[in-house]
Amino acid sequence: MVEHRIYNFNAGPAVLPLQVLEEIQANFLNFDHSGMSITEISHRSSYFDKVINDAVERAKRLLKLDERYHVLFLQGGASLQFAMVPMNFLKEKDSADYVNTGTWATKAIKEAKILKKNHKVVASSEDKDFSYIPKDIRFSNDAKYVHLTSNNTIKGTQYSKFPDTKGIPIVCDMSSDIFSRPLAMEKFGLIYAGAQKNLGPSGTCMVIIRQDMLDTENEDLPTMLKYSTHASKNSMYNTPPCFGIYTIDLVLKWIEMEIGGLEKMEEQNIKKADVLYDFMDSGNFYRPTAEKYSRSLMNVTFRLPTEDLEKQFISQAAEKGLGGLKGHRSVGGCRASIYNAASMESINALVQFMDLFEKENKK
Ligand SMILES: *Cc1c(COP(=O)(O)O)cnc(C)c1O
């Protein structure tokens, strides 16, 4: 562990690769021999052109995107996408299917409702407190799109496989697991992700959109709320979130060059999550909250025997340099967010602490 840095298990903003942070630091005052920092450079300059084009190309290579897909960097977070998606793609007679797997999916559905767009919640796991991913979902034949949340950051569940939507494009909120594994892209018409979990700093939202979706966009929308505005200007219709895009570029470079791509990334993520889940399954002190087949590789949610022990666990862990283990305020309990950049070393340190805490506190 580098001096003064903790093992960071925060859900978002979250841990980034140390190597990326060091590269930002080393180049901060004089970016690419410009005599300026990246936060002082014109987004219309060749310096920044290089950065954004590099980020787009890396994203395309990593996800093996064909020429139909556009990679955009927008503002307003994933939360603005909850509204932009139905605004852009649902005309009067259209309807979309939604699957409700937790807090964020619920918020996406709420925006479709506010906009008075036809939509159907075709499956939900609310009956069991969102502890599982629904199976055997029956989608509508005529849905314009199917909206899914690939990883449920708060409830600790994740689709291990995406459902067969019979050719209906999936629109997917991948805020907390984008670039954590390879994707069969032909299923997806649009993917969006707030950067602050697995990609970079907050303030940037990555959107990957396929041309056939763009072609059906609603005309009568404010300029900034139309995907085509951003797609036709390479995300530079207005000033883009430059620092965020720069950091994302470095994170994608790290995945490509250091990790070796998304297959390798997924292998690492499975290994890390297995260490944690296997440890908890081997005893009965820590209780993972998600159904086994729905367990997230990114956000490991668990409970201890009592709320009082959970409080002690979180505070004693923090004293030992293990930070961010408190569950989301809406659900309580504990959560270890172990995104791409969380090292195996940090997982081992956590398990070691958990083992010790259990021995000291088990009745
Ligand atoms: C964090 C999160 C969001 C909200 O993202 P913002 O960028 O804060 O709007 C949406 N969806 C999921 C799955 C998230 O984890």
Side-chain angles (χ1 to χ4, degrees):
M1 191 166 41
V2 175
E3 210 187 349
H4 306 311
R5 285 185 60 81
I6 65 162
Y7 292 120
N8 184 350
F9 298 101
N10 276 301
V15 62
L16 289 170
L18 183 61
Q19 205 179 314
V20 166
L21 300 176
E22 285 171 342
E23 188 168 345
I24 293 170
Q25 186 181 43
N27 296 302
F28 196 67
L29 294 184
N30 186 6
F31 176 74
D32 199 11
H33 310 289
S34 65
M36 299 173 273
S37 75
I38 185 73
T39 55
E40 300 168 294
I41 287 176
S42 167
H43 60 294
R44 307 285 176 203
S45 66
S46 60
Y47 294 108
F48 190 71
D49 256 344
K50 244 165 64 185
V51 171
I52 193 166
N53 291 334
D54 200 58
V56 168
E57 289 311 314
R58 285 188 196 283
K60 287 185 172 176
R61 277 200 301 276
L62 280 166
L63 289 169
K64 300 186 167 58
L65 304 180
D66 63 41
E67 67 291 343
R68 291 173 302 163
Y69 290 91
H70 304 263
V71 177
L72 312 177
F73 301 98
L74 309 185
Q75 299 181 63
S79 298
L80 184 59
Q81 296 306 306
F82 297 160
M84 266 177 78
V85 165
M87 255 183 192
N88 275 267
F89 303 122
L90 296 180
K91 301 207 167 76
E92 211 171 314
K93 293 209 172 70
D94 295 330
S95 179
D97 283 357
Y98 279 76
V99 177
N100 193 359
T101 47
T103 315
W104 299 115
T106 304
K107 288 190 172 178
I109 294 163
K110 180 180 154 205
E111 295 301 310
K113 199 175 288 168
I114 289 172
L115 290 161
K116 298 192 170 60
K117 302 286 188 181
N118 299 319
H119 63 283
K120 204 164 133 192
V121 179
V122 290
S124 166
S125 50
E126 194 169 6
D127 60 336
K128 289 187 184 161
D129 196 21
F130 297 114
S131 59
Y132 68 101
I133 298 289
K135 282 188 201 167
D136 305 321
I137 305 169
R138 304 253 320 252
F139 297 103
S140 316
N141 293 323
D142 55 351
K144 182 72 194 291
Y145 61 80
V146 169
H147 184 281
L148 304 177
T149 312
S150 55
N151 182 70
N152 298 281
T153 324
I154 294 173
K155 301 292 182 176
T157 64
Q158 184 179 28
Y159 288 84
S160 56
K161 254 178 46 201
F162 290 97
D164 180 7
T165 55
K166 307 265 182 316
I168 298 170
I170 298 177
V171 169
C172 195
D173 178 358
M174 290 197 190
S175 293
S176 47
D177 67 351
I178 194 166
F179 294 108
S180 69
R181 55 181 170 175
L183 293 172
M185 278 306 298
E186 62 277 2
K187 288 186 169 191
F188 299 95
L190 190 152
I191 290 171
Y192 61 91
Q196 67 274 19
K197 273 86 183 216
N198 220 2
L199 273 182
S202 61
T204 308
C205 182
M206 184 184 270
V207 173
I208 298 167
I209 182 171
R210 206 169 60 197
Q211 184 63 42
D212 60 282
M213 294 290 288
L214 264 184
D215 290 342
T216 67
E217 164 190 281
N218 274 321
E219 293 295 321
D220 55 347
L221 290 173
T223 312
M224 276 296 284
L225 297 179
K226 281 163 113 162
Y227 290 106
S228 60
T229 301
H230 305 287
S232 65
K233 301 279 188 209
N234 195 23
S235 304
M236 291 195 281
Y237 168 75
N238 72 325
T239 320
C242 298
F243 183 73
I245 296 168
Y246 166 63
T247 308
I248 290 170
D249 181 37
L250 296 181
V251 169
L252 297 180
K253 186 168 97 177
W254 172 80
I255 297 173
E256 257 195 311
M257 313 300 289
E258 282 303 311
I259 304 298
L262 294 181
E263 281 83 9
K264 287 269 164 54
M265 194 78 256
E266 180 179 40
E267 253 174 54
Q268 277 195 15
N269 286 328
I270 291 172
K271 260 192 213 148
K272 288 185 314 191
D274 278 355
V275 168
L276 254 180
Y277 286 120
D278 286 351
F279 170 74
M280 289 195 276
D281 288 343
S282 71
N284 53 15
F285 189 76
Y286 301 98
R287 187 172 51 81
T289 58
E291 300 246 347
K292 256 188 183 164
Y293 78 92
S294 304
R295 285 174 173 179
S296 168
L297 302 180
M298 300 275 103
N299 307 96
V300 178
T301 50
F302 56 96
R303 307 293 314 228
L304 274 67
T306 66
E307 282 186 26
D308 199 42
L309 278 171
E310 285 168 349
K311 265 195 203 133
Q312 290 177 42
F313 174 81
I314 292 159
S315 76
Q316 287 180 28
E319 283 167 24
K320 296 237 154 66
L322 300 153
L325 290 166
K326 196 168 189 287
H328 190 269
R329 61 188 185 282
S330 65
V331 295
C334 302
R335 169 176 57 177
S337 296
I338 51 170
Y339 300 119
N340 284 350
S343 62
M344 186 55 102
E345 183 192 338
S346 69
I347 309 292
N348 289 334
L350 175 59
V351 167
Q352 207 177 10
F353 170 75
M354 288 170 83
D355 191 35
L356 193 72
F357 186 87
E358 177 179 343
K359 284 183 179 130
E360 281 172 359
N361 291 281
K362 203 165 181 172
K363 291 269 150 30

